[in-house]
Amino acid sequence: MSTGLIVAIVIAVVIVAVLVIWLITGYNALVKRRNHYRNMFAQIDVQLTRRHDLIPNLVETAKGYMQHEREALESVVAARGGAVQAQQAARQNPGDPGAMQQLGGAETALTQSLGRLFALSEAYPDLKANQNMMQLSEELTSTENRVAFARQGYNDSVMAYNNKRETFPTNILAGMFGFQGAALLEIDSPEARQAPQINF
């Protein structure tokens, strides 16, 4: 065997080895980033579930005082139902653009309904002074803050995943193995970017 042939074989083996190592590390990096944003969505999911679980108690407490505000109470209940459905759809496929848009819209609607409920509750001094209502309002505000924090973590991890997925040469692997882009969880309206103001 000639020296030239041996060198050619060694070079070919080195090239194949480099390609295999690149393929493995690139694929594993994409999987890790995808799993990270899915885990971050699970954190949002926990906080949204907590938020949604607080709302029936809040509505029940307000119902005794706000008998003439049935429309506002029903609006909150309906918005909560929509948010729970959107959350379940997003839980099935975190990062899916349609599911994230639906979840963002449903949470926006729920936040707006809660804001209207709290604004109306200002006209009911006995409700404002109710210990249960004050505690639920405080828990809801705390949960809103946790949702915002978890959403920021999720969006950061989605951005890192999408950057990895779209940059060369990893974009080649992403296309080969079907790594789809992930969507951010955004709130649709500027007024919904703030937690409702609760003054009890």
Side-chain angles (χ1 to χ4, degrees):
M1 214 186 272
S2 71
T3 308
L5 182 60
I6 293 174
V7 169
I9 292 173
V10 169
I11 290 173
V13 168
V14 168
I15 290 172
V16 168
V18 167
L19 285 175
V20 168
I21 291 170
W22 169 75
L23 183 74
I24 291 170
T25 57
Y27 180 85
N28 288 342
L30 285 167
V31 169
K32 286 178 186 176
R33 299 244 171 138
R34 182 179 61 195
N35 289 342
H36 186 259
Y37 85 72
R38 287 179 176 173
N39 179 56
M40 294 305 290
F41 181 80
Q43 303 306 314
I44 293 173
D45 191 47
V46 167
Q47 297 308 322
L48 290 178
T49 299
R50 183 172 191 265
R51 177 186 196 211
H52 299 158
D53 289 348
L54 287 169
I55 291 171
N57 295 332
L58 186 74
V59 169
E60 200 57 41
T61 300
K63 206 184 276 186
Y65 295 91
M66 299 176 71
Q67 295 163 351
H68 302 294
E69 308 293 352
R70 181 162 296 293
E71 186 178 319
L73 294 170
E74 289 172 356
S75 171
V76 170
V77 171
R80 178 195 179 268
V84 168
Q85 283 182 328
Q87 179 188 2
Q88 290 169 350
R91 187 182 296 141
Q92 299 302 316
N93 193 6
D96 175 67
M100 291 299 105
Q101 184 177 13
Q102 183 182 7
L103 180 59
E107 287 300 323
T108 295
L110 179 56
T111 299
Q112 290 171 342
S113 291
L114 285 170
R116 285 190 293 275
L117 176 68
F118 286 122
L120 286 171
S121 70
E122 291 293 318
Y124 297 88
D126 290 343
L127 178 59
K128 286 174 55 175
N130 180 286
Q131 191 65 35
N132 193 32
M133 188 68 168
M134 287 190 299
Q135 181 181 354
L136 287 168
S137 299
E138 188 176 310
E139 286 182 42
L140 190 58
T141 300
S142 171
T143 302
E144 296 280 345
N145 292 336
R146 291 181 194 162
V147 168
F149 183 74
R151 186 171 54 85
Q152 182 62 48
Y154 167 80
N155 285 344
D156 289 345
S157 64
V158 163
M159 183 174 291
Y161 166 76
N162 284 338
N163 286 342
K164 183 72 172 176
R165 186 186 148 277
E166 295 169 8
T167 55
F168 183 80
T170 316
N171 63 339
I172 297 168
L173 291 176
M176 285 172 43
F177 292 107
F179 284 89
Q180 299 297 317
L184 302 173
L185 177 56
E186 298 180 302
I187 295 177
D188 296 335
S189 62
E191 61 271 13
R193 293 184 184 275
Q194 301 171 349
Q197 295 299 315
I198 303 169
N199 299 313
F200 283 102

